[in-house]
Coordinates of all heavy atoms in Angstrom, one line a residue:
R311 N -5.6 -34.4 -18.5 CA -6.9 -33.8 -18.2 C -6.9 -32.4 -18.7 O -6.0 -31.6 -18.3 CB -7.2 -33.8 -16.7 CG -8.5 -33.2 -16.3 CD -8.7 -33.3 -14.8 NE -10.0 -32.7 -14.4 CZ -10.5 -32.7 -13.2 NH1 -9.7 -33.1 -12.2 NH2 -11.6 -32.1 -12.9
P312 N -7.8 -31.9 -19.6 CA -7.9 -30.6 -20.0 C -8.1 -29.6 -18.9 O -8.7 -30.0 -17.8 CB -9.0 -30.5 -21.0 CG -9.3 -31.9 -21.4 CD -8.9 -32.8 -20.2
A313 N -7.6 -28.4 -19.0 CA -7.8 -27.3 -18.0 C -9.1 -26.6 -18.3 O -9.7 -26.6 -19.4 CB -6.7 -26.3 -18.0
Y314 N -9.6 -25.9 -17.3 CA -10.9 -25.2 -17.4 C -10.7 -24.0 -18.2 O -9.8 -23.2 -18.2 CB -11.4 -24.7 -16.0 CG -12.5 -23.8 -16.0 CD1 -13.8 -24.2 -16.3 CD2 -12.3 -22.4 -15.8 CE1 -14.8 -23.3 -16.4 CE2 -13.3 -21.5 -15.9 CZ -14.6 -21.9 -16.2 OH -15.6 -21.0 -16.3
T315 N -11.7 -23.8 -19.1 CA -11.9 -22.5 -19.8 C -13.4 -22.3 -19.9 O -14.2 -23.2 -19.7 CB -11.4 -22.6 -21.3 OG1 -12.1 -23.5 -22.0 CG2 -9.9 -23.0 -21.3
S316 N -13.8 -21.0 -20.1 CA -15.2 -20.7 -20.2 C -15.8 -21.4 -21.4 O -17.0 -21.7 -21.5 CB -15.5 -19.2 -20.3 OG -14.7 -18.6 -21.3
D317 N -15.0 -21.7 -22.4 CA -15.4 -22.5 -23.6 C -15.5 -23.9 -23.1 O -14.6 -24.5 -22.5 CB -14.4 -22.4 -24.7 CG -14.8 -23.0 -26.0 OD1 -15.1 -24.2 -26.0 OD2 -14.8 -22.3 -27.0
P318 N -16.6 -24.6 -23.4 CA -16.8 -26.0 -22.9 C -15.8 -27.0 -23.4 O -15.6 -28.1 -22.9 CB -18.2 -26.3 -23.4 CG -18.5 -25.4 -24.5 CD -17.8 -24.1 -24.2
R319 N -15.0 -26.6 -24.5 CA -14.0 -27.6 -24.9 C -12.9 -27.7 -23.9 O -12.2 -28.8 -23.9 CB -13.3 -27.0 -26.2 CG -14.3 -27.1 -27.5 CD -13.6 -26.5 -28.7 NE -13.4 -25.0 -28.5 CZ -12.5 -24.3 -29.2 NH1 -11.7 -24.8 -30.0 NH2 -12.5 -23.0 -29.0
G320 N -12.6 -26.7 -23.1 CA -11.5 -26.8 -22.2 C -10.2 -26.6 -23.0 O -10.2 -26.4 -24.2
L321 N -9.1 -26.6 -22.3 CA -7.8 -26.4 -22.9 C -7.0 -27.8 -22.9 O -6.6 -28.3 -21.8 CB -6.9 -25.4 -22.1 CG -5.5 -25.1 -22.7 CD1 -5.6 -24.4 -24.0 CD2 -4.7 -24.3 -21.7
S322 N -6.8 -28.3 -24.0 CA -6.1 -29.6 -24.2 C -4.6 -29.3 -24.1 O -4.1 -28.2 -24.3 CB -6.4 -30.3 -25.5 OG -5.9 -29.5 -26.6
Y323 N -3.8 -30.4 -24.0 CA -2.3 -30.2 -24.0 C -1.9 -29.7 -25.4 O -1.1 -28.7 -25.4 CB -1.7 -31.6 -23.7 CG -0.2 -31.5 -23.9 CD1 0.6 -31.0 -22.9 CD2 0.5 -32.1 -25.0 CE1 2.0 -30.9 -23.0 CE2 1.8 -32.1 -25.1 CZ 2.6 -31.5 -24.1 OH 4.0 -31.5 -24.3
Q324 N -2.4 -30.3 -26.4 CA -2.0 -29.8 -27.7 C -2.3 -28.4 -28.0 O -1.5 -27.6 -28.5 CB -2.6 -30.7 -28.8 CG -2.1 -30.3 -30.2 CD -2.8 -31.0 -31.4 OE1 -2.8 -30.5 -32.5 NE2 -3.4 -32.1 -31.1
D325 N -3.5 -27.9 -27.5 CA -3.9 -26.5 -27.7 C -3.0 -25.6 -26.8 O -2.7 -24.5 -27.2 CB -5.3 -26.3 -27.3 CG -6.3 -26.8 -28.4 OD1 -5.8 -26.9 -29.6 OD2 -7.5 -26.9 -28.2
A326 N -2.6 -26.0 -25.6 CA -1.7 -25.2 -24.8 C -0.4 -25.0 -25.5 O 0.2 -23.9 -25.5 CB -1.5 -25.9 -23.5
M327 N 0.1 -26.1 -26.1 CA 1.4 -26.0 -26.9 C 1.3 -25.1 -28.1 O 2.1 -24.3 -28.4 CB 2.0 -27.4 -27.2 CG 2.2 -28.3 -26.0 SD 3.3 -27.5 -24.8 CE 4.9 -27.7 -25.7
T328 N 0.2 -25.3 -28.8 CA 0.0 -24.6 -30.1 C -0.2 -23.1 -29.7 O 0.3 -22.2 -30.4 CB -1.3 -25.1 -30.8 OG1 -1.1 -26.4 -31.2 CG2 -1.5 -24.3 -32.1
G329 N -1.0 -22.8 -28.7 CA -1.2 -21.4 -28.3 C 0.1 -20.8 -27.8 O 0.4 -19.6 -28.2
T330 N 0.9 -21.5 -27.1 CA 2.2 -21.0 -26.7 C 3.1 -20.6 -27.9 O 3.7 -19.6 -28.0 CB 3.0 -22.0 -25.8 OG1 2.2 -22.2 -24.6 CG2 4.3 -21.5 -25.4
G331 N 3.1 -21.6 -28.8 CA 3.9 -21.4 -30.1 C 3.4 -20.2 -30.9 O 4.2 -19.4 -31.4
N332 N 2.1 -20.0 -31.0 CA 1.6 -18.9 -31.7 C 2.0 -17.6 -31.1 O 2.3 -16.6 -31.8 CB 0.0 -19.0 -31.7 CG -0.6 -18.0 -32.7 OD1 0.0 -17.5 -33.6 ND2 -1.9 -17.7 -32.5
A333 N 2.0 -17.5 -29.8 CA 2.4 -16.3 -29.1 C 3.8 -15.9 -29.3 O 4.2 -14.8 -29.2 CB 2.1 -16.4 -27.6
L334 N 4.7 -16.9 -29.6 CA 6.1 -16.7 -29.8 C 6.4 -16.1 -31.1 O 7.5 -15.7 -31.4 CB 6.9 -17.9 -29.5 CG 6.8 -18.5 -28.1 CD1 7.6 -19.8 -28.0 CD2 7.2 -17.5 -27.1
Y335 N 5.4 -16.0 -32.0 CA 5.6 -15.4 -33.3 C 5.8 -13.9 -33.2 O 6.4 -13.2 -34.1 CB 4.5 -15.7 -34.3 CG 4.6 -17.0 -35.0 CD1 4.2 -18.2 -34.3 CD2 5.1 -17.1 -36.3 CE1 4.3 -19.4 -35.0 CE2 5.2 -18.3 -36.9 CZ 4.8 -19.5 -36.3 OH 4.9 -20.7 -36.9
T336 N 5.1 -13.3 -32.2 CA 5.1 -11.8 -32.1 C 4.9 -11.4 -30.7 O 4.2 -12.0 -29.9 CB 4.0 -11.2 -33.0 OG1 3.8 -9.8 -32.6 CG2 2.7 -11.9 -32.7
Q337 N 5.7 -10.4 -30.3 CA 5.6 -9.9 -28.9 C 4.2 -9.3 -28.6 O 3.8 -9.2 -27.4 CB 6.6 -8.8 -28.7 CG 8.0 -9.3 -28.7 CD 9.1 -8.2 -28.4 OE1 8.8 -7.3 -27.6 NE2 10.2 -8.2 -29.1
R338 N 3.4 -9.0 -29.6 CA 2.0 -8.5 -29.4 C 1.2 -9.5 -28.7 O 0.2 -9.2 -28.1 CB 1.4 -8.1 -30.7 CG 2.0 -6.8 -31.3 CD 1.2 -6.3 -32.4 NE 1.0 -7.2 -33.5 CZ 1.8 -7.3 -34.6 NH1 2.9 -6.5 -34.6 NH2 1.6 -8.2 -35.5
Y339 N 1.5 -10.8 -28.8 CA 0.7 -11.9 -28.2 C 1.2 -12.3 -26.8 O 0.6 -13.2 -26.2 CB 0.7 -13.1 -29.1 CG -0.2 -13.0 -30.3 CD1 -1.0 -11.8 -30.6 CD2 -0.4 -14.0 -31.2 CE1 -1.8 -11.7 -31.7 CE2 -1.2 -14.0 -32.3 CZ -1.9 -12.8 -32.5 OH -2.7 -12.7 -33.6
W340 N 2.3 -11.8 -26.4 CA 2.9 -12.2 -25.1 C 2.0 -12.1 -24.0 O 1.9 -12.9 -23.1 CB 4.2 -11.5 -24.8 CG 5.4 -12.0 -25.7 CD1 5.3 -12.9 -26.7 CD2 6.7 -11.5 -25.6 NE1 6.6 -13.1 -27.3 CE2 7.5 -12.3 -26.6 CE3 7.4 -10.6 -24.8 CZ2 8.8 -12.1 -26.8 CZ3 8.8 -10.5 -25.0 CH2 9.5 -11.2 -26.0
T341 N 1.2 -11.0 -23.9 CA 0.3 -10.7 -22.8 C -0.8 -11.8 -22.7 O -1.2 -12.2 -21.6 CB -0.3 -9.3 -22.9 OG1 -1.1 -9.1 -21.8 CG2 -1.2 -9.2 -24.2
Y342 N -1.2 -12.3 -23.9 CA -2.2 -13.4 -23.8 C -1.6 -14.7 -23.4 O -2.3 -15.5 -22.7 CB -2.8 -13.5 -25.2 CG -3.4 -12.2 -25.7 CD1 -2.8 -11.5 -26.7 CD2 -4.6 -11.7 -25.2 CE1 -3.3 -10.3 -27.2 CE2 -5.1 -10.5 -25.6 CZ -4.5 -9.8 -26.6 OH -5.0 -8.6 -27.1
L343 N -0.3 -14.9 -23.7 CA 0.3 -16.1 -23.3 C 0.5 -16.1 -21.7 O 0.2 -17.1 -21.0 CB 1.7 -16.2 -23.9 CG 2.6 -17.4 -23.4 CD1 1.9 -18.7 -23.5 CD2 3.9 -17.4 -24.2
T344 N 0.9 -14.9 -21.2 CA 1.0 -14.8 -19.8 C -0.3 -15.0 -19.1 O -0.4 -15.7 -18.1 CB 1.6 -13.4 -19.4 OG1 2.9 -13.3 -20.0 CG2 1.7 -13.2 -17.9
S345 N -1.4 -14.4 -19.6 CA -2.7 -14.6 -19.1 C -3.2 -16.0 -19.0 O -3.7 -16.5 -18.0 CB -3.7 -13.7 -19.8 OG -5.0 -14.0 -19.4
G346 N -2.9 -16.7 -20.1 CA -3.3 -18.2 -20.2 C -2.5 -19.0 -19.2 O -3.1 -19.9 -18.5
L347 N -1.2 -18.7 -19.1 CA -0.4 -19.5 -18.1 C -0.8 -19.2 -16.7 O -0.8 -20.0 -15.8 CB 1.1 -19.2 -18.4 CG 1.7 -19.7 -19.7 CD1 3.1 -19.3 -19.9 CD2 1.6 -21.2 -19.8
L348 N -1.2 -17.9 -16.4 CA -1.6 -17.6 -15.1 C -2.9 -18.3 -14.8 O -3.1 -18.7 -13.6 CB -1.9 -16.0 -15.0 CG -0.6 -15.2 -14.8 CD1 -1.0 -13.7 -14.9 CD2 0.0 -15.5 -13.4
G349 N -3.8 -18.5 -15.8 CA -5.0 -19.3 -15.6 C -4.7 -20.7 -15.2 O -5.3 -21.3 -14.3
L350 N -3.7 -21.3 -15.8 CA -3.2 -22.6 -15.4 C -2.7 -22.6 -14.0 O -2.9 -23.5 -13.2 CB -2.2 -23.2 -16.4 CG -2.7 -23.5 -17.8 CD1 -1.5 -24.0 -18.7 CD2 -3.8 -24.5 -17.8
A351 N -1.8 -21.6 -13.7 CA -1.2 -21.6 -12.4 C -2.2 -21.4 -11.2 O -2.1 -22.0 -10.2 CB -0.2 -20.5 -12.3
R352 N -3.3 -20.7 -11.5 CA -4.3 -20.4 -10.5 C -5.4 -21.3 -10.5 O -6.3 -21.2 -9.6 CB -4.7 -18.9 -10.7 CG -3.7 -17.9 -10.5 CD -4.1 -16.5 -11.0 NE -3.1 -15.5 -10.7 CZ -3.2 -14.2 -11.2 NH1 -4.2 -13.9 -12.0 NH2 -2.2 -13.4 -11.0
G353 N -5.5 -22.1 -11.5 CA -6.7 -23.0 -11.6 C -7.9 -22.3 -12.0 O -9.1 -22.8 -11.8
T354 N -7.8 -21.1 -12.7 CA -8.9 -20.4 -13.2 C -9.0 -20.5 -14.7 O -8.5 -21.5 -15.2 CB -8.8 -18.9 -12.8 OG1 -7.5 -18.4 -13.2 CG2 -8.8 -18.8 -11.2
D355 N -9.6 -19.6 -15.4 CA -9.8 -19.7 -16.8 C -8.5 -19.5 -17.6 O -7.9 -18.5 -17.5 CB -10.9 -18.6 -17.2 CG -11.4 -18.8 -18.6 OD1 -10.7 -19.6 -19.4 OD2 -12.4 -18.3 -19.0
A356 N -8.2 -20.6 -18.3 CA -7.0 -20.5 -19.2 C -7.3 -20.3 -20.6 O -6.6 -20.6 -21.5 CB -6.2 -21.8 -19.0
G357 N -8.5 -19.6 -20.8 CA -9.0 -19.4 -22.1 C -8.2 -18.6 -23.1 O -8.3 -18.8 -24.3
D358 N -7.3 -17.8 -22.6 CA -6.5 -17.0 -23.6 C -5.5 -18.0 -24.4 O -5.2 -17.7 -25.6 CB -5.7 -15.9 -22.9 CG -6.5 -14.7 -22.7 OD1 -7.6 -14.6 -23.2 OD2 -6.0 -13.8 -22.0
L359 N -5.1 -19.0 -23.8 CA -4.3 -20.0 -24.5 C -5.1 -20.7 -25.6 O -4.7 -21.0 -26.7 CB -3.7 -21.1 -23.6 CG -2.3 -20.7 -23.0 CD1 -1.9 -21.7 -21.9 CD2 -1.2 -20.6 -24.0

Side-chain angles (χ1 to χ4, degrees):
R311 182 180 180 181
Y314 168 76
T315 65
S316 57
D317 186 304
R319 289 175 293 160
L321 180 71
S322 70
Y323 173 76
Q324 186 187 155
D325 281 345
M327 300 302 289
T328 301
T330 298
N332 190 23
L334 297 179
Y335 277 83
T336 169
Q337 294 185 34
R338 293 192 298 270
Y339 283 3
W340 284 5
T341 184
Y342 304 106
L343 174 55
T344 299
S345 173
L347 292 176
L348 281 172
L350 291 179
R352 296 168 178 170
T354 56
D355 191 343
D358 278 351
L359 274 171

